[in-house]
Amino acid sequence: MSEMDSSSESGDSLHEKAIDPFHAEKEEAILKACKQRDLTKLRALSESQGGFLNDEIRQQAWPILLGIPSKYDEDDDSWKDLPRHRDEDQVQLDVDRAFCYYPEHESETERNLQKSQLSSLILSVLRRYPYLHYFQGYHDISQVLLLVLPIHLRSAALARLSALRIRDFMLPNLQAAIAQLRLIPDILKVSDPKLWRHLSGTEPFFALSGTLTMYAHDITTLGEITRLFDVLLAREPVFSVYMFAAIVRSRREELFDTPEDEPEMLHSILSKLPKPLDLEGLIKDTVALFERYPPDRLPSWRWAISGNSVLKTARETEGKTGNEKGEGKGGVARGQTMEDGKRFFESQVRELMWMEKKEKARKWMWKNRRPVRTLGLAVLVGVIAILLRRSPGGPMAWVMGVVYRWWLG
């Protein structure tokens, strides 16, 4: 086939795609849902074949899913006058490594310009909301928003995403992120007990990179990651965790080929996404998994996930719609404000500090268990002695004898 023939065929294919009835009908449905700000329809459309189809439509749908007002004017560059954020050095290191897979730049000058834009986007959010902690991989998420959204919506989109949907990852440590991973074994246990037993010796840390970055660090093509963002932004944050559980289930045969007493090998397999990645099949499987085994039925949901975690504050519960303002537990992130995000953040930090103090106390008690035991016994003996003086020869005498024999033993 000649180059001209090839070019002609490509043009015909594009023309056919443009007039494809299914494509045209779906585009019309998405735009109508955007105009009506119908979140239920947008979610359903995000899950169906092709998601939101193209970036031009995403520029209308994503801001709605993130709760940005229809008439929004971006602030100016006033963030540049704000105090420097503590994590800016790390931001620069990560930005320097950005855009290694996509898009294809025509020149190094063009690449450097986009890196500069990415740095400004991230810093505009961190300086305006300095309580947020940067994490490695945040630039991967920011990069996707930069490449899809118009410049006047980028900072607002990233800010709301940060404070209301990935806030758990922007705390002072990764304890809340690790707590999210504890849901994966629970999902596997109820959905595939045999696979769960096979992986019972493997910690779910293999899913950290994927869930932490909304898969933007692991998926290397722009078309695939934007398609995935369609559904991740339309669904509540815990959906991302279910997606990794679905990925694990999809590799069932491969995992059973690896002995369960080789957790390092199993971890190595699971820490990399399968290639090729069947995105449409994965989304369909994740929706089914989520609907059949909702998070409320998982043990770790009750004891491992904080009430201030985004998984619960952005939870879409029955009886609430995306247009309602979320208040506390069971809220919907689209209706929450940045002030809500800060309030949840501060409450979660207090919880983390309390947990840290309890852990330090536990370790101290274990390290000093013998002296503590002796001190406790001395106090107990003193109390019993006082009671004996009041009632000699009674039940306390027998208790004292038991304590004395235990002490000698």
Side-chain angles (χ1 to χ4, degrees):
M1 182 181 293
S2 68
E3 183 176 344
M4 183 176 293
D5 290 338
S6 175
S7 175
S8 175
E9 182 177 328
S10 174
D12 290 343
S13 297
L14 291 173
H15 180 64
E16 288 172 5
K17 183 177 180 181
I19 62 173
D20 174 65
F22 169 79
H23 187 280
E25 183 179 346
K26 185 173 186 183
E27 180 174 337
E28 183 180 355
I30 299 170
L31 294 176
K32 181 179 179 181
C34 287
K35 185 176 181 179
Q36 297 174 344
R37 299 181 77 83
D38 188 327
L39 300 173
T40 302
K41 286 185 179 179
L42 282 176
R43 186 177 76 175
L45 290 163
S46 77
E47 295 167 3
S48 63
Q49 184 77 24
F52 294 143
L53 301 175
N54 58 59
D55 289 352
E56 186 176 353
I57 297 177
R58 291 184 177 104
Q59 290 173 4
Q60 297 189 50
W62 285 10
I64 294 172
L65 296 176
L66 288 168
I68 298 175
S70 54
K71 295 181 179 180
Y72 177 80
D73 293 322
E74 177 77 343
D75 291 338
D76 54 21
D77 290 339
S78 59
W79 65 267
K80 293 180 179 179
D81 299 323
L82 296 175
R84 179 181 171 86
H85 191 274
R86 59 188 167 276
D87 299 326
E88 291 194 19
D89 289 340
Q90 184 60 54
V91 171
Q92 190 56 51
L93 290 174
D94 287 350
V95 167
D96 288 342
R97 294 191 292 267
F99 304 108
C100 58
Y101 294 115
Y102 55 78
E104 294 184 6
H105 295 92
E106 294 183 0
S107 66
E108 192 63 25
T109 300
E110 188 181 43
R111 183 189 298 273
N112 289 335
L113 175 60
Q114 268 194 331
K115 286 183 179 181
S116 176
Q117 292 174 338
L118 179 60
S119 177
S120 294
L121 172 59
I122 294 173
L123 296 185
S124 70
V125 172
L126 294 181
R127 289 193 185 184
R128 284 175 175 142
Y129 308 98
Y131 64 89
L132 295 171
H133 292 252
Y134 177 82
F135 62 91
Q136 285 185 280
Y138 184 77
H139 73 289
D140 293 304
I141 296 173
S142 306
Q143 180 177 312
V144 178
L145 298 184
L146 173 74
L147 293 172
V148 172
L149 295 177
I151 190 169
H152 70 284
L153 292 175
R154 294 171 186 168
S155 184
L158 183 58
R160 290 188 61 81
L161 182 71
S162 302
L164 303 174
R165 293 186 62 91
I166 60 170
R167 184 179 63 247
D168 287 9
F169 310 144
M170 307 195 76
L171 290 160
N173 60 49
L174 289 178
Q175 290 305 309
I178 293 172
Q180 291 193 16
L181 302 184
R182 299 296 177 195
L183 296 173
I184 295 176
D186 281 2
I187 298 168
L188 295 177
K189 186 176 183 180
V190 295
S191 64
D192 194 335
K194 186 177 180 181
L195 181 58
W196 169 75
R197 284 192 295 271
H198 187 72
L199 298 175
S200 59
T202 306
E203 291 284 357
F205 301 138
F206 50 74
L208 185 60
S209 174
T211 55
L212 194 69
T213 66
M214 296 175 65
Y215 302 90
H217 181 74
D218 302 284
I219 293 179
T220 58
T221 62
L222 184 59
E224 286 186 317
I225 192 57
T226 52
R227 166 67 188 101
L228 191 57
F229 266 45
D230 290 343
V231 71
L232 292 181
L233 295 179
R235 280 279 188 165
E236 59 188 90
V238 74
F239 191 81
S240 179
V241 180
Y242 274 80
M243 180 162 285
F244 213 103
I247 291 172
V248 175
R249 284 165 49 93
S250 74
R251 311 184 77 172
R252 200 171 188 273
E253 293 184 10
E254 181 183 3
L255 293 170
F256 279 124
D257 287 339
T258 304
E260 61 184 85
D261 59 357
E262 295 186 14
E264 296 85 2
M265 184 61 69
L266 290 168
H267 178 92
S268 177
I269 293 171
L270 290 169
S271 61
K272 302 177 183 66
L273 296 185
K275 293 183 179 181
L277 184 62
D278 177 13
L279 272 183
E280 299 299 336
L282 174 60
I283 291 169
K284 182 179 179 181
D285 291 345
T286 306
V287 170
L289 192 62
F290 182 90
E291 298 297 338
R292 186 169 183 183
Y293 307 103
D296 313 78
R297 293 173 52 184
L298 306 176
S300 295
W301 180 263
R302 294 187 290 273
W303 65 264
I305 306 300
S306 163
N308 292 297
S309 164
V310 290
L311 299 194
K312 290 184 176 178
T313 61
R315 180 89 173 94
E316 293 179 351
T317 52
E318 188 176 355
K320 278 188 177 289
T321 68
N323 293 319
E324 293 181 270
K325 182 175 180 179
E327 293 291 347
K329 299 176 183 179
V332 180
R334 299 181 192 92
Q336 292 170 355
T337 66
M338 293 298 292
E339 288 72 23
D340 291 325
K342 184 179 181 182
R343 175 166 51 87
F344 291 132
F345 181 96
E346 291 172 345
S347 296
Q348 204 164 357
V349 167
R350 286 194 293 272
E351 288 180 2
L352 291 173
M353 291 175 63
W354 173 242
M355 290 170 60
E356 186 177 344
K357 288 179 181 178
K358 285 201 302 183
E359 181 62 17
K360 286 182 178 179
R362 186 193 66 79
K363 289 181 177 179
W364 183 89
M365 290 286 287
W366 177 252
K367 182 179 179 180
N368 299 279
R369 59 191 180 280
R370 293 185 184 278
V372 169
R373 178 185 179 190
T374 301
L375 177 61
L377 186 59
V379 172
L380 177 60
V381 168
V383 172
I384 292 175
I386 294 172
L387 294 174
L388 279 173
R389 283 197 295 270
R390 294 179 179 177
S391 180
M396 281 299 119
W398 178 82
V399 172
M400 187 62 180
V402 173
V403 171
Y404 182 70
R405 287 193 295 273
W406 178 75
W407 176 281
L408 292 178

